[in-house]
């Protein structure tokens, strides 16, 4: 299997680039943020719980997220590969992902880390907030999400660097230009 972790701070283009990568490499897309928002609109108990964290810009607890991924992997069956978008966001989640994938005799193939300066992230997310309808795309929550990323999520890069799987790519420029760089990195590990 080709398993890609698309990584980077909020607003770095993970969702946008995932859309292209799914088509190019025939991957199944798992976005924990999208899954959580679906739970919220479905008025489920999990959605109710998750909303409290999301609206504050905080991370949803690891056990909830890991359980969600576990269920999802069980459901998707035999696929050529998966793109994980917005997951793992803590080292604990990265360790669990390794264990879960091991039960399917597979592992993460590459982590694509999109690098974008903070000022650009804030501008992009504020712009997205004009149309996204997302409760967390406002200045206060954006700032919080970026600092949560720096403190709790950025260390996940070291986890994959130690495994020799980290590919850092400049996430500024045209969508197609960035996509070409990502494709090159993925093709090299295919
Ligand atoms: P995203 O759509 O990836 O920007 O995620 C939106 C929000 O959902 C985040 O700010 C977190 O509150 C929550 N979330 C999404 N994925 C995760 C994860 N892997 N671990 C913890 N919280 C998450």
């Amino acid at each position: 299997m080709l398993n890609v972790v698309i990584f980077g701070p909020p607003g770095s283009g993970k969702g946008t680039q995932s859309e292209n990568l799914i088509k190019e490499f025939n991957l199944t897309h798992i976005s924990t943020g999208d899954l959580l928002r679906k739970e919220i609109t479905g008025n489920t108990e999990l959605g109710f719980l998750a909303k409290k964290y999301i609206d504050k810009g905080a991370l949803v607890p690891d056990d909830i997220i890991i359980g969600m991924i576990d269920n999802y992997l069980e459901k998707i069956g035999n696929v050529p590969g998966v793109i994980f978008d917005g997951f793992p966001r803590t080292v604990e989640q990265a360790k669990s992902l390794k264990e879960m994938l091991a039960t399917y005799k597979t592992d993460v193939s590459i982590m694509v880390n999109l690098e974008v300066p903070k000022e650009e992230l804030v501008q992009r997310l504020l712009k997205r907030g004009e149309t996204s309808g997302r409760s967390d795309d406002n200045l206060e929550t954006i700032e919080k999400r970026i600092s949560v990323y720096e403190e709790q999520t950025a260390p996940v890069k070291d986890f994959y660097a130690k495994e020799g799987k980290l590919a850092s790519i400049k996430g500024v420029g045209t969508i197609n230009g960035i996509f070409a760089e990502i494709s090159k990195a993925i093709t090299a590990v295919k």
Side-chain angles (χ1 to χ4, degrees):
M1 279 175 83
L2 174 67
N3 298 313
V4 178
V5 169
I6 186 130
F7 190 82
S12 56
K14 300 187 292 291
T16 306
Q17 293 297 340
S18 291
E19 283 176 29
N20 296 330
L21 293 167
I22 297 161
K23 290 182 222 139
E24 178 81 9
F25 295 99
N26 196 16
L27 302 172
T28 299
H29 184 212
I30 304 184
S31 155
T32 41
D34 286 351
L35 288 176
L36 292 167
R37 282 184 289 277
K38 240 180 249 163
E39 297 286 339
I40 294 172
T41 44
N43 282 316
T44 67
E45 207 174 310
L46 171 58
F48 183 74
L49 187 68
K51 187 166 168 42
K52 285 194 252 177
Y53 296 95
I54 293 177
D55 286 354
K56 279 191 293 195
L59 293 184
V60 174
D62 284 340
D63 54 338
I64 295 179
I65 299 289
I66 292 163
M68 227 166 61
I69 295 284
D70 204 14
N71 283 338
Y72 201 92
L73 290 175
E74 224 173 88
K75 266 194 282 175
I76 57 172
N78 255 343
V79 292
V82 175
I83 181 156
F84 296 95
D85 167 5
F87 173 87
R89 254 179 163 98
T90 62
V91 172
E92 202 48 46
Q93 291 180 17
K95 287 182 187 161
S96 294
L97 178 60
K98 192 169 179 68
E99 285 168 20
M100 287 187 277
L101 291 177
T103 67
Y104 298 94
K105 306 225 175 331
T106 186
D107 198 356
V108 166
S109 315
I110 184 170
M111 173 203 252
V112 173
N113 170 42
L114 296 173
E115 296 180 317
V116 178
K118 184 176 171 187
E119 312 77 64
E120 168 91 14
L121 297 172
V122 175
Q123 290 316 312
R124 287 186 190 179
L125 291 167
L126 284 175
K127 188 144 188 283
R128 185 174 81 183
E130 291 168 10
T131 53
S132 69
R134 276 180 58 160
S135 55
D136 56 352
D137 280 344
N138 59 76
L139 187 57
E140 193 187 342
T141 317
I142 288 168
E143 298 272 3
K144 175 76 191 294
R145 284 157 64 205
I146 294 172
S147 68
V148 164
Y149 168 81
E150 282 161 359
E151 285 156 26
Q152 299 180 54
T153 303
V156 176
K157 271 184 276 183
D158 298 335
F159 179 91
Y160 289 104
K162 278 188 198 129
E163 300 210 337
K165 292 177 178 167
L166 174 65
S168 288
I169 283 163
K170 218 169 118 209
V172 184
T174 65
I175 293 177
N176 286 344
I178 299 164
F179 177 64
E181 290 303 310
I182 299 176
S183 294
K184 222 191 287 171
I186 296 179
T187 304
V189 299
K190 239 175 60 170

